[in-house]
Amino acid sequence: MPTPLVTIAVPIYNVKECLPALFASLEAQSFSNFECILVDDGSSDGSGAVCDEQVRRDARFSVVHQKNAGVCSARNAGIRAAKGRFVVLCDQDDQLAPRTLEWALAEQQAHPDQLIVWPFTRSPEAFAAQPGSYSTTCFGRGETLRYFASDLFIYVWNKLLPTEVLRAMPALFTEGMVGGGEDFDFMARFLPAFFALHPGGGVRQIEAPLYYWNLENEKSVSKWQGNHAHYCQKQFAFFNRVKSAFAPFYEQEPRQIAQCMNRILRPVVFGLTLAKQNGEPASECWQSPELAEMLDWLRQNRWYTDFYLPLRLRCAPLARAMLRWQEQRPALYWKCYWLGYYLLARGWQRL
């Protein structure tokens, strides 16, 4: 078997019913020179045996069996064992579209200083209806904050990660971190390492939903490790990491800063819903210096976002209601949006 160009690393824990679909999507790749490292993280449901059988069926697959240590440990084990020039991370219950590796490698060959990324979909129908061609969107070095604000930055499984960058990082995933923060923590450290090796680079996004994120599985990585206590505070910690990763932060283009803040304030509002469910006081949110910093910057620079009004008024019930109305009663959501704009921010720039 030739040296693989790409390593696909998959952390696996107690999800044997999803593995056939995952394996089929990897075997269907139009680019075949890859290895897939399955890291069985101490499964007790027979997932390890399913992985062993896949290794017997396809020589491109190998398996690492380890004691249960969490998804970060499993991903680290897969990356450390990688032989490919690039690493693609994939979660155990998800799937890659057939041309993912082919298209990503073609873009990387044409643009070697770019980080190649792609969108995801939660819709099985949209994933099945893959396009025959694609366009790309490029985010230059000065536009990476705008890429972060696009909501695709934080995920690790929609990127062609150069192994040389991974090897240059002092640490990979922070083991023991759970609840969704591990991906952001990794990417906030990966991006500076990438630009250190590719100072003239940027981010190039293939505009096709090449990754299927399966949220229907109750054992999803996104679900079984979730810890949503003090969720608002985690978002404020993310904001501080963003400022560090994109330093000097306030020298970035103002619209990108506003988009970034909006990207963080939305989950803060979601955190107010979780706080109520968990019996946590909303005062933990209102007293945060990070919240005051973001709202003050938006006011001083005259940028209006949809949740500015309830957050500025410190009205958790209104914030939670607007978040709910956004999906369930959009007409009422937009009435509140425009009411806030005309009451507090008429003449401001809107995102």
Side-chain angles (χ1 to χ4, degrees):
M1 180 178 172
T3 302
L5 185 58
V6 180
T7 296
I8 304 172
V10 186
I12 292 172
Y13 178 72
N14 285 356
V15 70
K16 67 177 182 179
E17 65 273 15
C18 295
L19 295 181
L22 165 70
F23 295 159
S25 80
L26 301 182
E27 291 175 331
Q29 291 298 304
S30 56
F31 178 85
S32 61
N33 184 21
F34 68 86
E35 67 169 349
C36 179
I37 301 175
L38 309 170
V39 183
D40 171 31
D41 189 41
S43 298
S44 58
D45 71 338
S47 292
V50 176
C51 293
D52 290 336
E53 177 59 28
Q54 177 64 20
V55 172
R56 285 190 286 270
R57 290 180 55 251
D58 191 328
R60 295 174 298 179
F61 288 73
S62 62
V63 61
V64 175
H65 296 285
Q66 66 177 36
K67 293 182 179 179
N68 179 248
V71 66
C72 291
S73 172
R75 284 173 173 164
N76 287 344
I79 292 172
R80 293 187 185 112
K83 299 183 180 71
R85 284 181 51 208
F86 303 96
V87 172
V88 172
L89 298 171
C90 184
D91 282 351
Q92 57 188 2
D93 44 352
D94 299 338
Q95 298 171 44
L96 293 180
R99 303 187 74 176
T100 301
L101 298 184
E102 175 194 348
W103 286 355
L105 290 167
E107 287 300 315
Q108 198 284 327
Q109 184 175 11
H111 308 280
D113 283 339
Q114 305 286 308
L115 175 64
I116 309 303
V117 304
W118 49 87
F120 64 88
T121 181
R122 298 185 179 99
S123 166
E125 294 77 17
F127 183 71
Q130 287 291 323
S133 60
Y134 63 89
S135 60
T136 59
T137 301
C138 186
F139 301 86
R141 176 71 180 271
E143 298 176 298
T144 49
L145 192 58
R146 180 165 66 92
Y147 174 63
F148 164 78
S150 73
D151 203 31
L152 291 172
F153 168 83
I154 65 170
Y155 303 113
V156 298
W157 32 247
N158 66 332
K159 297 172 175 67
L160 187 69
L161 304 173
T163 305
E164 64 171 354
V165 178
L166 297 171
R167 300 283 188 255
M169 294 175 66
L172 296 169
F173 287 91
T174 302
E175 299 189 14
M177 180 176 286
V178 296
E182 69 282 353
D183 283 16
F184 184 93
D185 174 75
F186 174 84
M187 287 306 304
R189 291 181 289 104
F190 172 85
L191 202 62
F194 178 84
F195 284 124
L197 292 179
H198 303 276
V203 177
R204 181 170 293 270
Q205 180 168 295
I206 297 171
E207 296 299 351
L210 299 179
Y211 190 91
Y212 174 52
W213 185 6
N214 177 18
L215 289 181
E216 298 302 317
N217 172 34
E218 289 301 319
K219 298 178 183 177
S220 169
V221 167
S222 304
K223 294 180 179 180
W224 60 258
Q225 68 167 359
N227 174 9
H228 297 311
H230 305 289
Y231 193 82
C232 290
Q233 282 63 42
K234 292 176 182 177
Q235 304 310 310
F236 298 137
F238 288 173
F239 177 55
N240 288 325
R241 291 194 189 108
V242 170
K243 288 192 294 182
S244 176
F246 292 93
F249 182 75
Y250 287 109
E251 292 182 16
Q252 304 284 334
E253 194 267 326
R255 175 177 285 276
Q256 292 189 58
I257 296 175
Q259 290 172 332
C260 171
M261 290 181 175
N262 187 51
R263 163 68 181 79
I264 293 172
L265 289 175
R266 284 174 174 268
V268 166
V269 173
F270 177 62
L272 289 171
T273 299
L274 294 174
K276 183 179 181 181
Q277 296 173 358
N278 296 335
E280 300 164 1
S283 58
E284 290 186 358
C285 176
W286 306 137
Q287 294 170 3
S288 166
E290 289 83 7
L291 178 62
E293 179 181 345
M294 285 186 277
L295 294 178
D296 287 346
W297 186 91
L298 291 169
R299 184 184 70 248
Q300 292 165 8
N301 291 272
R302 302 173 66 83
W303 284 99
Y304 181 71
T305 71
D306 47 1
F307 292 107
Y308 180 86
L309 173 64
L311 292 173
R312 174 59 72 186
L313 297 179
R314 296 190 172 187
C315 185
L318 178 59
R320 290 191 292 261
M322 284 189 66
L323 189 65
R324 184 173 65 253
W325 295 338
Q326 192 171 28
E327 291 189 3
Q328 300 176 3
R329 303 180 66 183
L332 188 54
Y333 161 82
W334 283 110
K335 284 182 180 179
C336 286
Y337 174 94
W338 287 111
L339 177 63
Y341 179 71
Y342 282 109
L343 284 177
L344 298 180
R346 189 171 184 176
W348 289 18
Q349 300 174 86
R350 291 180 287 109
L351 291 177

